[in-house]
Amino acid sequence: MTVPDPTGTADPAAAAPSVPSPATRKRGGGSVLDREHRALSIGIVSVVLLIAFEATAVGTAMPVAARELDGVPLYAFAFSAYFTTSLFGMVLAGQWADRSGPLGALASGIAAFGAGLLVSGTAAAMWPFILGRAVQGLGGGLVIVALYVVVSRAYEERLRPAIMAAFSASWVIPSIVGPLGAGTVTERLGWRWVFLGIPALVLLPLVLALPAIRRLAAGPADPEAPVPGFDARRLRLALGISVGAGLLQYAGQDLRWLSVVPALAGAALLVPAVRGLLPRGTYRAARGLPSVVLLRGVAAGAFISAESFVPLMLVTQRGLSPTLAGLSLAVGGATWALGSYVQSRPRVEPYRERLMVLGMVLVAGAIAAVPSVLVPAVPVWIVGLAWGFGCFGMGMVISSTSVLLLKLSAPEEAGTNSAALQISDGLANVMLLAAGGAAFAALGGGAVGGHALAGAETVASHPVAFAAVFLPMAAVALAGAWVAARVRPAHTTG
């Protein structure tokens, strides 16, 4: 995957003298917590930690917000609005970071992320709430790409696996504590405080990270090269991919003949946009960078699509409470971090490609094993065990794609390539979720959204509908093992 340029300033010429040369960086400390990197590492990991808390907490508070705002029919758009605008933000951040460094994109992204939370938290109706989610998504897209660029600029190659492992570890506590904390806040103080409380927590990471980014990664990658302008064509393609993905999501949620119209319009926008924004050869799994980008989408799309249906299956088919169903996946946060830690060890570097193949096999096996609990004789703890192995594989694969993306990207291309990596991730999520959701509904799966809002006792879904989601996603993950075997460039030197 591609890692964007993590630094950015309003005045590249003024910032240029502060950018350390690669030789200077190699003489720096030997870890991500040495004197040179300590403030930066703590700051950017804290940003990821807060994003993780937001992701887990908002999902818990969203059903209550939709009910109070009389917006249950628009419930799905509160999620799709975030996704579609984040795709545009990713492309914008990639160009912005390559042009003038990641600092501007990161600061603007955090500001937009916080502003979106405030808009949603103060909304008096559902459409303003959705607007806030869209603003938040734009900020999230800017932030994630800018962070990758920061890593590519401020950390030498041998330190990048460690900081990527720290990013993964930042999701462990939020995945366990986030839903419980958000549920308590929602019950005691109200859902609005879940949205309004997070922006204030962003100030400390900003104070720590921004000065360090300005010192280590500000300005363009090559201060002496002409500053490139924004590529209007790529921005148009980014808008096309955002609108196209939104139309496909809408069509997938409204299974009527009339939905064919937005589906076709979405596909017409998506196909040329994807071809123009992803590396050439991505869809035929060309060796090297194209396969890295494709693998990111295959892994994330198959895993997230399957994971989205696990709690619903446990509640409707095995009678678990929503809390217990959610906690059945909690162990995955720890094993994901463990997998990311394993790939960060220097001694496994020569075997990275093999680790990625193994990781995808574990993901495929986990997804295939989960629907076994549709058989009443199979104990439900099998889900937690299988998902732990699957998350371990994902930890190795996702962090490794980030590391390889930076390794295969020239400094001046880090932003563009990082945006391509994130687009592959996000687009695969929405496409495979739409496909899985359509198959689930077509086979009598019931109202997924209605279940989430109303409670465990109201929905009875047919087991075949769940099998139609999990087994194809397991096949997609298994295909990802083949793609993982192609991430090494055809001709390598050194």
Side-chain angles (χ1 to χ4, degrees):
M1 77 178 178
T2 312
V3 178
D5 182 350
T7 57
T9 67
D11 184 358
S18 67
V19 181
S21 68
T24 301
R25 289 182 192 156
K26 286 184 180 297
R27 291 195 298 268
S31 78
V32 297
L33 290 177
D34 59 28
R35 177 182 296 181
E36 182 182 5
H37 298 99
R38 186 180 301 122
L40 176 62
S41 297
I42 294 174
I44 61 176
V45 169
S46 298
V47 170
V48 176
L49 182 69
L50 290 176
I51 290 175
F53 266 115
E54 183 277 336
T56 56
V58 166
T60 302
M62 195 78 76
V64 179
R67 283 201 302 266
E68 289 193 8
L69 296 175
D70 295 323
V72 173
L74 301 174
Y75 182 77
F77 290 100
F79 293 95
S80 60
Y82 182 101
F83 171 77
T84 54
T85 55
S86 69
L87 285 175
F88 181 79
M90 291 169 188
V91 178
L92 176 61
Q95 290 202 36
W96 193 345
D98 284 342
R99 182 177 183 271
S100 58
L103 187 60
L106 181 62
S108 299
I110 291 176
F113 191 82
L117 286 167
L118 292 175
V119 171
S120 293
T122 57
M126 194 61 180
W127 278 116
F129 181 88
I130 292 172
L131 174 63
R133 290 288 290 165
V135 174
Q136 187 186 349
L138 177 64
L142 290 170
V143 168
I144 189 63
V145 173
L147 284 176
Y148 275 109
V149 176
V150 170
V151 172
S152 72
R153 293 276 193 96
Y155 297 87
E156 58 184 279
E157 186 174 320
R158 67 185 181 83
L159 295 180
R160 291 172 189 165
I163 195 66
M164 292 299 177
F167 283 178
S168 293
S170 298
W171 284 80
V172 176
I173 295 177
S175 67
I176 299 172
V177 177
L180 298 176
T184 301
V185 171
T186 300
E187 293 175 4
R188 299 290 180 86
L189 301 176
W191 66 266
R192 295 183 185 276
W193 287 104
V194 175
F195 291 84
L196 298 176
I198 294 175
L201 301 177
V202 175
L203 295 178
L204 179 59
L206 281 178
V207 170
L208 285 173
L210 294 186
I213 293 173
R214 183 179 295 275
R215 176 173 55 87
L216 290 171
D222 184 357
E224 298 181 359
V227 177
F230 283 99
D231 187 338
R233 174 180 173 272
R234 290 187 67 85
L235 293 179
R236 287 195 300 270
L237 291 176
L239 185 60
I241 204 172
S242 297
V243 175
L247 289 172
L248 282 177
Q249 281 184 309
Y250 174 79
Q253 294 161 5
D254 187 19
L255 296 179
R256 297 182 300 167
W257 284 110
L258 288 177
S259 299
V260 173
V261 176
L264 292 176
L269 288 170
L270 268 181
V271 172
V274 169
R275 289 176 62 88
L277 292 173
L278 299 187
R280 181 175 298 180
T282 297
Y283 287 104
R284 56 182 175 85
R287 288 192 174 273
L289 183 63
S291 284
V292 173
V293 172
L294 177 60
L295 177 61
R296 179 59 167 262
V298 169
F303 184 85
I304 297 301
S305 298
E307 186 179 54
S308 299
F309 286 87
V310 171
L312 180 59
M313 180 182 66
L314 293 176
V315 170
T316 61
Q317 303 302 304
R318 297 302 298 266
L320 269 66
S321 68
T323 299
L324 285 178
L327 289 177
S328 69
L329 303 179
V331 68
T335 58
W336 188 309
L338 179 61
S340 185
Y341 172 78
V342 168
Q343 67 80 36
S344 73
R345 309 315 299 158
R347 65 179 58 186
V348 306
E349 180 61 35
Y351 311 104
R352 183 173 298 280
E353 290 79 7
R354 296 180 186 177
L355 283 179
M356 297 169 77
V357 173
L358 173 62
M360 290 309 303
V361 170
L362 290 174
V363 172
I367 296 174
V370 163
S372 65
V373 299
L374 293 169
V375 179
V378 176
V380 293
W381 55 259
I382 289 294
V383 171
L385 180 64
W387 217 244
F389 280 102
C391 287
F392 179 77
M394 285 293 288
M396 292 193 294
V397 171
I398 296 299
S399 294
S400 289
T401 57
S402 300
V403 171
L404 284 176
L405 179 74
L406 292 174
K407 184 177 182 179
L408 298 175
S409 299
E412 64 275 10
E413 297 176 345
T416 298
N417 289 341
S418 296
L421 188 71
Q422 298 301 328
I423 288 171
S424 177
D425 186 319
L427 187 60
N429 283 343
V430 71
M431 297 297 290
L432 290 179
L433 269 171
F440 184 76
L443 292 173
V448 177
H451 155 75
L453 293 172
E457 70 280 1
T458 60
V459 175
S461 301
H462 198 282
V464 175
F466 287 102
V469 173
F470 290 109
L471 297 182
M473 294 307 160
V476 171
L478 193 59
W482 174 77
V483 178
R486 299 177 60 81
V487 297
R488 184 186 295 274
H491 301 287
T492 58
T493 58

